[in-house]
Amino acid sequence: MILTPIPCAQLGEALDRFASQLDHPDARDAFARIRATSAERASRDVAERHRLQALQLAEDFGVPVHPPGAHSGFNWDGAALDACTEAYVTLHEIAHFVLAPPERRRLVDFGLGPGPDTRERAAAEAAAVAPLLEREADEAEASLLGILWEAALGQPALASFLDQNWLEGLDRSAARHFTEVFARLQRRGLIDPALLPS
C-alpha cells in the first residue's frame, strides 16, 4: 500500500529527485537497475512465469515451499512458504528467510509479527519475538533485497519499490534510508561485487 501516491505524470521527476540524492555510487547503480524495470505489475502468463522464477529461487536457497493447493494463514508458517502468492511476495519472504537467524525461521512470519498478507494475524502477533526496531530493520532489508532480486530477474521491481514506500519522505530521508539499507545488505554479503543480490 503506497502511503503517498505519486501521480503517473509526476513519477519520472520524483525518481529523478530520488536518484540525485543518492551519494553512494553502488546504491545509485542499484537504484538505476530498479528504475529500469516496470512500475506496473505483471499479469496472466507473465505473472505466472515470474511466480515460477520466484519458486525456483526459493529452491536455490533451500527454502521449503508447500505444494500447490496447500493454503496457510501465513506466507511463512514456520515450516514452508505458501506457493500460491505473487512472485514479489515470494521473493520478499525468501529475503526474510535469508535474513532470519535459525531460531526465527521456525516461527510464523519469522517472529516479526503479521505482515500485510497474513490472514491469521493474532497467531502471528503471538509468535512475534523480535523487538520493534529489529522488526523495522528486518522489514526494510527484506523489502530491498526482494526488490533487487526482482530487478535481477527482470520482474517489475519498480512496482514493488513504489508499493513498499521507498519514496516516502522523498525530500527528507528517503534516499538516505535506501542507502543505509543497501549498505547493510552489502556488509552482510548479500550484494555481490556486480551489485546483484547474491
Side-chain angles (χ1 to χ4, degrees):
M1 176 186 72
I2 300 174
L3 295 177
T4 309
I6 299 171
C8 288
Q10 297 172 21
L11 180 59
E13 188 268 336
L15 295 173
D16 287 343
R17 279 165 45 211
F18 181 84
S20 72
Q21 297 170 44
L22 292 169
D23 297 327
H24 190 293
D26 288 351
R28 190 168 46 246
D29 290 348
F31 173 67
R33 289 184 182 182
I34 294 166
R35 185 176 184 173
T37 67
S38 177
E40 301 295 326
R41 292 278 178 222
S43 59
R44 295 184 291 280
D45 291 347
V46 175
E48 178 60 10
R49 187 175 75 245
H50 290 174
R51 189 182 74 81
L52 294 175
Q53 284 178 315
L55 292 174
Q56 181 60 56
L57 189 68
E59 183 178 323
D60 293 345
F61 274 101
V63 182
V65 177
H66 284 298
H71 294 287
S72 170
F74 314 95
N75 289 325
W76 174 258
D77 64 6
L81 286 175
D82 183 347
C84 300
T85 60
E86 298 92 338
Y88 68 95
V89 175
T90 298
L91 293 172
H92 181 85
E93 296 304 320
I94 296 168
H96 274 304
F97 181 90
V98 168
L99 292 163
E103 63 273 10
R104 280 208 289 106
R105 290 179 181 174
R106 295 189 297 268
L107 302 174
V108 298
D109 286 342
F110 302 101
L112 298 169
D117 299 324
T118 302
R119 292 173 294 285
E120 296 187 28
R121 301 189 72 76
E125 193 57 57
V129 296
L132 184 58
L133 288 178
E134 185 179 332
R135 291 187 203 187
E136 290 174 359
D138 192 284
E139 194 58 50
E141 290 178 22
S143 171
L144 186 52
L145 187 56
I147 289 168
L148 292 170
W149 278 327
E150 284 184 83
L153 292 167
Q155 297 185 12
L158 184 56
S160 294
F161 179 85
L162 298 171
D163 285 350
Q164 295 171 34
N165 297 300
W166 285 95
L167 289 182
E168 193 65 28
L170 177 59
D171 294 315
R172 297 182 311 278
S173 59
R176 183 176 69 248
H177 177 61
F178 179 91
T179 300
E180 289 169 353
V181 175
F182 181 83
R184 290 201 307 265
L185 293 173
Q186 274 191 317
R187 286 193 300 272
R188 292 181 73 161
L190 297 171
I191 307 292
D192 73 15
L195 305 182
L196 294 171
S198 57

